[in-house]
Amino acid sequence: MSNRVDHDLLADYVGGALDGTPDAAEVRRLVDTDPDWAAAHDTLSAAMASVSVDLRALGSVVDPVPEAVVARLDAALRHPGSFADEASRRADAAHGGPRPEVAGRAAGPARPGGERAAGGPGGTGPGRERRRRTARWAAGLSAAAAVIAFGIGVVATFPTATDSGSESTAAGDAAAPAMAPSPEAGADGGGVASSGRDYRAGSFDGLADLVPVPFAASGERSNRDQSGPKAAQVPPADAAVVPPELGRFRTPAAVEACLDAIRRRFGGDVRVTDLARYEGRPAVVVLLDTAAVGGGRPLVVVAGTRCGEIPGDPDEVYHAPLA
Amino acid sequence: LHAVPVEDLRDDVALLRAHLAGDRDAFGTLVERHRDRLWAVALRTMGDREDAADALQDALLSAYRAADRFRGDSAVTTWLHRIVVNACLDRIRRQKVRPTVPLPEVDTTVAPAPDREVRLDVQAALAQLPVDQRSALVLVDVYGYAVAEAAEILEVAEGTIKSRCARGRARLAGLLGYLRNPATSASVGSEREEGA
């Protein structure tokens, strides 16, 4: 170990992350014998202790849930279908799409000082978006007050534009925290395949050779003119072979939420995603490269129909290195 | 005569089961019981009230709809916290921008001025940390969760939590001016690789 102070290691040592490891003894030796390490240790220990005090003080401050947020949560839980669709629209807006006003989105307090300082009127940057948000929140306060005053009957009169068969109102989509694909969705996974296969444990022949259909093409196909050039990228038979139970994965956000959950658990990069079956049951079959498990071999992860429904939960059915 | 609200004495698991059985009030009662704590964690993790409200709503809707996925191998509160923290982290990662610092327009009576200044400094610095360090510190240092519980909530090893907290504290020490050479803290990585 070099005598040059390793601040990562020293922070781990001070924070107890090395306890019980050989590194702890080595760092202790360096601190005892090397003046640079000793000085850095003393300084960092005192500084980290001060930080801990500050953080505890932060936690001791009570930040009650704003009443408007309480009302909004109450309304959301009384009408989860409506708010699922709202979540979709919010996410669309966050990624540059339309962000229509939604009744019932009553929430936080207005932020006059900071909002005014964020940018000039009529701008197009983040400041403008934040002002729009603030305006919506402020406008929503009256709706929240209505909820508080009149209860569920008032909420029921809010326009929801949902429950009309839209996929975005499905229960699974409600669980996805954001409904639009992340910017890296195309780079990591790049879309989905739908092979129509029924995989078995230890038998994933051909999975690595599948060519996913880009999300954009899938979206074009499902929502627009299916004879257009992008739709032509989607093999005509694909839709027919996707198990209906996997219908929510036709939206890139649902796929991304699922892949995010899988990556979070296994690490690595998604090579291909196949909306298929596993031992007869509908499943999202994912092939990962450079996963944290699997001994360096590509890793197959089979996820159930509820993959990503809870953020971070892949609904794992099976995983094993690719044979 | 005024109606006096009757406290629901059912425990969290019973409320979740009742929700699954069709009790329309059970989940609301469960949320009400833990809402303050969940809000606090969301607020400190997101660093912005609007984003925190969005994340909390996302999370609670997820929990509402997927209550049957609760396996019972952890406390209901741990499960709820996990969903809330994951919703926050998902939102932060998708935004791909650093969360904004909360503004002092609310709770001006909560803390005296000197504490308030420190609080805002700390919150601002916290918002500059990598999300993994931030979420670990919010749970362990800010709200006093045991390392083991934080590990369960964040679904990582306890050693990883300790490392994220330690390196997060070191980085904060630089940001808050406790180190004479802030560049020192800038070199601090996210977490120790071993033990992850």
Side-chain angles (χ1 to χ4, degrees), chain B residues 137-170:
Chain B
L137 282 175
V138 165
L139 291 172
V140 175
D141 280 14
V142 178
Y143 290 114
Y145 286 82
V147 168
E149 187 166 12
E152 196 173 359
I153 290 171
L154 295 173
E155 296 183 290
V156 296
E158 291 184 28
T160 302
I161 293 292
K162 288 181 182 177
S163 182
R164 288 178 182 177
C165 286
R167 297 185 182 193
R169 288 181 205 119

Side-chain angles (χ1 to χ4, degrees), chain B:
Chain B
L1 291 176
H2 297 282
V4 177
V6 178
E7 184 182 0
D8 195 321
L9 298 178
R10 290 176 290 182
D11 65 22
D12 291 348
V13 173
L15 284 171
L16 209 53
R17 286 180 181 152
H19 164 63
L20 289 171
D23 183 336
R24 293 170 62 92
D25 297 325
F27 194 81
T29 302
L30 183 65
V31 167
E32 186 176 358
R33 188 174 289 174
H34 301 293
R35 187 173 51 213
D36 288 350
R37 194 73 161 173
L38 296 171
W39 165 254
V41 169
L43 183 60
R44 296 297 172 222
T45 303
M46 298 301 296
D48 177 276
R49 290 175 181 277
E50 294 175 4
D51 288 338
D54 285 346
L56 186 57
Q57 178 175 310
D58 289 341
L60 292 179
L61 281 170
S62 296
Y64 178 96
R65 293 184 178 281
D68 61 329
R69 301 293 310 281
F70 174 69
R71 296 186 295 270
D73 51 5
S74 63
V76 172
T77 51
T78 300
W79 178 72
L80 285 172
H81 275 81
R82 183 182 303 144
I83 294 173
V84 169
V85 171
N86 281 336
C88 291
L89 299 185
D90 284 349
R91 185 166 285 273
I92 290 169
R93 287 171 177 139
R94 287 194 166 104
Q95 286 173 339
K96 292 292 182 187
V97 293
R98 192 162 286 159
T100 54
V101 178
L103 299 171
E105 79 286 357
V106 175
D107 307 322
T108 51
T109 61
V110 171
D115 290 346
R116 178 149 207 92
E117 287 176 12
V118 171
R119 175 190 167 208
L120 289 177
D121 284 346
V122 174
Q123 180 67 66
L126 198 58
Q128 294 187 42
L129 295 184
V131 291
D132 288 343
Q133 292 178 2
R134 192 192 322 164
S135 56
L137 282 175
V138 165
L139 291 172
V140 175
D141 280 14
V142 178
Y143 290 114
Y145 286 82
V147 168
E149 187 166 12
E152 196 173 359
I153 290 171
L154 295 173
E155 296 183 290
V156 296
E158 291 184 28
T160 302
I161 293 292
K162 288 181 182 177
S163 182
R164 288 178 182 177
C165 286
R167 297 185 182 193
R169 288 181 205 119
R171 195 179 294 236
L172 281 177
L175 293 170
L176 295 172
Y178 289 120
L179 293 176
R180 280 171 294 183
N181 178 15
T184 296
S185 63
S187 68
V188 174
S190 182
E191 68 192 37
R192 186 168 181 259
E193 291 183 6
E194 295 151 324

Side-chain angles (χ1 to χ4, degrees), chain A residues 230-254:
Chain A
K230 284 189 175 179
Q233 298 175 33
V234 184
D238 279 358
V241 299
V242 174
E245 296 89 341
L246 299 177
R248 74 185 182 90
F249 294 107
R250 284 197 292 267
T251 64

